[in-house]
Amino acid sequence: MTVLDDWVTAACAEVGLDPAEVPVSAVLDLARDVAHQVVRPGAPVSAYLLGLAVGRGADPADAAARLSALAADWPVGLDAELADPTS
């Protein structure tokens, strides 16, 4: 078992979830895609959005794939324009 596995198991126990239902790879892939293709702080926010969607009944794999696809299609440099509206 890895430290991440230990953490997921402990965190799930803390909030009453089954660790087997946590799509760790999908969440990590989504976070990577958003951090590298959109903006780094968007990674944890996107993971949270994925959790909300799944909590409301969305399929975890489908929701993660849709968000990753959105990140892949995100216009390069848009985050810089938003940070400095004068550019």
Side-chain angles (χ1 to χ4, degrees):
M1 208 182 253
T2 67
V3 173
L4 178 57
D5 293 330
D6 292 341
W7 166 253
V8 170
T9 299
C12 283
E14 189 67 27
V15 296
L17 296 174
D18 178 0
E21 295 179 7
V22 179
V24 173
S25 293
V27 173
L28 293 176
D29 289 347
L30 171 61
R32 177 202 61 223
D33 293 346
V34 172
H36 292 181
Q37 297 168 322
V38 182
V39 63
R40 189 164 293 207
V45 174
S46 297
Y48 178 77
L49 294 174
L50 175 64
L52 286 177
V54 171
R56 292 180 179 172
D59 174 72
D62 178 60
R66 291 175 62 191
L67 290 170
S68 287
L70 179 64
D73 291 339
W74 198 254
V76 176
L78 182 59
D79 60 326
E81 292 174 20
L82 292 175
D84 183 5
T86 62
S87 62

